[in-house]
């Protein structure tokens, strides 16, 4: 079977001036049948155009906070470090993925960026702006589920997993506030935060707030999400596949 090539956006360590990658992103996509490739962190338009053309799909990973400038807000003191190069790179890749209808999966920061880029807003810091007893910033082990989400009936995620609730891991301090007009909410946390979205008009444009890259080895639902993402890249050549 031909493995679709998936461009994985790198994480960035400003203190070490280094691009890096959690192995779970790569291993999860490999297990699902994909060929993940860590992309260079760049704003070079010529390079980004080549990446947008040659990759079959894209994974937007976790990392620094999304810049509040993307959704027209001033940064609060509680907002963490941002990475302007990454924001610009992901905006370019997102626009091209949408235009070319290439599958894209966002994880953690990925759901936040997707929402902000498409016209939604974010909470810059949950403990300050929306305190809750629900654990959204867990301690290790990061593959352990710490709260539940409700899967909304009739959504692609509910159809894929065929369950009404799901236990998930969680490690974030920012979150979706208002939903972007193009997105459909697919899952919601116990305290009412949006935890998964999709763009119904596209072949596969999904994002989740939790971390399947940590849990896919033990959690069937995480594996199904990765497999559905990879399968979307194969549609049109050997039929639609489901995880």
């Amino acid at each position: 079977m031909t493995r679709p090539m998936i461009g994985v956006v790198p994480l960035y360590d400003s203190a070490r001036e280094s691009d890096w990658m959690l192995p779970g992103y790569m291993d999860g996509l490999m297990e699902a049948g994909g060929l993940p490739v860590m992309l260079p962190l760049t704003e070079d338009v010529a390079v980004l155009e080549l990446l947008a053309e040659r990759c079959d799909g894209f994974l937007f990973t976790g990392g620094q906070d999304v810049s509040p400038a993307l959704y027209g807000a001033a940064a609060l003191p509680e907002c963490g470090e941002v990475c302007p190069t990454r924001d610009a790179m992901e905006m370019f890749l997102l626009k091209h993925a949408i235009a070319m209808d290439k599958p894209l999966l966002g994880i953690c920061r990925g759901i936040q960026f997707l929402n902000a880029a498409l016209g939604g807003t974010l909470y810059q810091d949950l403990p300050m702006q929306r305190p809750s007893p629900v654990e959204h910033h867990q301690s290790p082990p990061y593959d352990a589920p710490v709260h539940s989400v409700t899967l909304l009936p009739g959504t692609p995620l509910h159809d894929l997993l065929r369950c009404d609730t799901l236990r998930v891991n969680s490690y974030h301090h920012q979150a979706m506030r208002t939903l972007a007009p193009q997105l459909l909410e697919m899952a919601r946390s116990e305290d009412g935060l949006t935890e998964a979205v999709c763009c119904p008009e596209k072949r596969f444009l999904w994002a989740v707030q939790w971390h399947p890259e940590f849990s896919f080895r033990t959690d069937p639902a995480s594996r199904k999400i990765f497999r559905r993402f990879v399968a979307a890249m194969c549609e049109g050549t050997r039929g639609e596949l489901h995880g």
Side-chain angles (χ1 to χ4, degrees):
M1 181 182 72
T2 300
R3 289 176 175 265
M5 189 170 76
I6 304 163
V8 183
V9 177
L11 293 87
Y12 179 67
D13 186 329
S14 58
R16 294 178 172 84
E17 296 185 346
S18 64
D19 301 344
W20 65 286
M21 182 57 57
L22 286 166
Y25 293 119
M26 314 300 272
D27 294 345
L29 293 174
M30 286 283 288
E31 190 277 338
L35 177 63
V37 177
M38 190 178 99
L39 302 179
L41 188 64
T42 181
E43 295 182 61
D44 187 313
V45 171
V47 172
L48 291 172
E49 286 178 344
L50 284 172
L51 296 174
E53 177 184 347
R54 295 182 181 180
C55 292
D56 298 302
F58 300 94
L59 176 67
F60 285 8
T61 58
Q64 281 94 347
D65 286 354
V66 174
S67 173
L70 265 67
Y71 48 96
L76 301 175
E78 292 79 9
C79 184
E81 179 185 53
V82 300
C83 182
T85 296
R86 182 162 176 190
D87 286 341
M89 175 179 174
E90 290 187 336
M91 185 67 77
F92 186 99
L93 293 177
L94 174 62
K95 288 179 178 179
H96 278 67
I98 289 174
M100 296 183 286
D101 201 15
K102 291 194 174 184
L104 188 151
L105 175 64
I107 293 175
C108 193
R109 170 197 152 91
I111 191 174
Q112 297 161 13
F113 179 85
L114 181 64
N115 189 59
L118 295 179
T121 64
L122 304 178
Y123 291 107
Q124 294 185 38
D125 183 69
L126 287 176
M128 188 274 290
Q129 293 181 291
R130 201 178 186 279
S132 167
V134 175
E135 178 60 81
H136 289 290
H137 196 270
Q138 73 185 86
S139 300
Y142 294 120
D143 62 340
V146 292
H147 72 78
S148 296
V149 298
T150 299
L151 305 186
L152 304 184
T155 63
L157 186 61
H158 187 274
D159 293 344
L160 174 68
L161 301 182
R162 299 180 182 179
C163 62
D164 296 327
T165 60
L166 184 68
R167 294 284 294 170
V168 300
N169 52 0
S170 189
Y171 190 76
H172 61 105
H173 85 111
Q174 296 201 323
M176 291 178 58
R177 187 168 191 165
T178 59
L179 184 68
Q182 293 175 247
L183 297 180
L184 172 70
E185 184 182 34
M186 297 199 293
R188 188 178 302 150
S189 65
E190 300 162 38
D191 53 351
L193 293 175
T194 297
E195 291 267 342
V197 297
C198 72
C199 181
E201 298 178 357
K202 309 312 295 183
R203 179 169 28 147
F204 186 100
L205 186 58
W206 289 22
V208 298
Q209 184 60 75
W210 61 90
H211 290 272
E213 80 277 13
F214 287 126
S215 57
F216 78 93
R217 292 180 178 86
T218 57
D219 176 44
S222 296
R223 291 194 294 274
K224 286 182 178 181
I225 291 170
F226 278 137
R227 291 172 184 173
R228 181 65 189 91
F229 173 44
V230 172
M233 288 170 246
C234 303
E235 292 170 4
T237 58
R238 56 190 177 89
E240 182 176 356
L241 301 179
H242 293 276

